[in-house]
């Protein structure tokens, strides 16, 4: 999934981003509401982790803009305010979930994963096809009972391909969904990640290259 972290405390923002990347999420970071509005206008995010008290543009206004855009991005609002009225007001703006600072990182991850599954149509937490099992909450992958030691990026690519349910995914779409905004669009990172992923998945092949179009998850079984 692709996540935008909006937090004006730089160390906290970078720490959240680095932690989410270990769970194979593509994460962009910005430190004020103005930057956030620019990013959501360019990229399609699955989840926006949004601090409420932001400089330049308040988090409430960013949340309202995300909701008004009508996309599928879910908003997890962060705040230091623990009053019920603050949580109610945040949810009233269209936020999908609320987390009070300080928080346990494991809870943040669980909430982000849960929000990503609220996409339309609803997505299951465990993906299974052709003997491949991708357990998103546990961040584990296996094939025919054999554990797959995937890197975070390989895990992310496999998730995108399996979610596509047999349709072709272009290299550009993979780059958009599995890499952050700093990825070079002319890089061969997608091809290399698919190549190493194929090797780890083993035989029979379940990732097909569609010349001139991209990649498709499927197989003969």
């Amino acid at each position: 999934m692709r996540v935008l972290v909006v937090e004006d405390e730089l160390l906290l923002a970078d720490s959240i981003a680095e932690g989410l990347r270990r769970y194979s999420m593509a994460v962009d970071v910005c430190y004020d509401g103005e930057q956030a509005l620019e990013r959501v206008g360019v990229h399609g995010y699955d989840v926006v982790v949004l601090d409420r008290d932001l400089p330049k543009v308040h988090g409430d206004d960013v949340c309202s803009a995300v909701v008004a855009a009508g996309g599928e991005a879910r908003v997890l609002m962060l705040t230091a305010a623990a009053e019920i009225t603050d949580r109610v007001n945040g949810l009233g703006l269209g936020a999908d979930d609320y987390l009070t600072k300080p928080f346990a990182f494991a809870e943040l991850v669980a909430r982000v994963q849960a929000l990503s599954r609220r996409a339309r149509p609803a997505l299951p937490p465990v993906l299974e096809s052709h003997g491949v099992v991708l357990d998103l909450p546990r961040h584990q992958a296996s094939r025919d009972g054999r554990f797959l030691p995937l890197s975070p990026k390989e895990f992310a690519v496999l998730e995108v391909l399996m979610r596509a349910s047999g349709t072709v995914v272009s290299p550009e779409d993979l780059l958009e969904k599995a890499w952050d905004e700093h990825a070079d669009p002319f890089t061969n990172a997608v091809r290399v990640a698919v190549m190493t992923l194929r090797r780890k998945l083993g035989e029979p092949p379940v990732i097909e290259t569609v010349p001139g179009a991209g990649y498709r998850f499927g197989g003969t079984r």
Side-chain angles (χ1 to χ4, degrees), residues 7-91:
E7 168 61 62
D8 64 330
E9 296 181 37
L10 274 63
L11 290 177
L12 177 58
D14 293 343
S15 176
I16 291 173
E18 186 60 30
L20 293 178
R21 289 180 184 125
R22 290 198 292 268
Y23 284 82
S24 300
M25 302 179 197
V27 185
D28 297 336
V29 182
C30 51
Y31 308 107
D32 62 62
E34 189 174 84
Q35 291 179 348
L37 291 177
E38 293 175 356
R39 303 290 174 81
V40 297
V42 174
H43 301 293
Y45 293 102
D46 298 292
V47 178
V48 178
V49 179
L50 177 65
D51 181 43
R52 191 173 186 188
D53 298 311
L54 292 171
K56 297 188 178 181
V57 178
H58 196 273
D60 288 355
D61 296 322
V62 175
C63 181
S64 297
V66 172
V67 174
E72 296 185 356
R74 305 300 185 182
V75 177
L76 171 59
M77 191 167 282
L78 306 178
T79 181
E83 296 295 328
I84 292 178
T85 53
D86 292 296
R87 297 198 296 270
V88 170
N89 290 338
L91 294 171

Side-chain angles (χ1 to χ4, degrees), residues 128-133 142-146 162 206 217 221:
E128 297 185 49
S129 181
H130 296 84
V132 178
V133 177
S142 63
R143 184 176 189 188
D144 297 329
R146 174 176 58 88
M162 292 184 72
V206 287
F217 184 88
R221 292 192 294 164

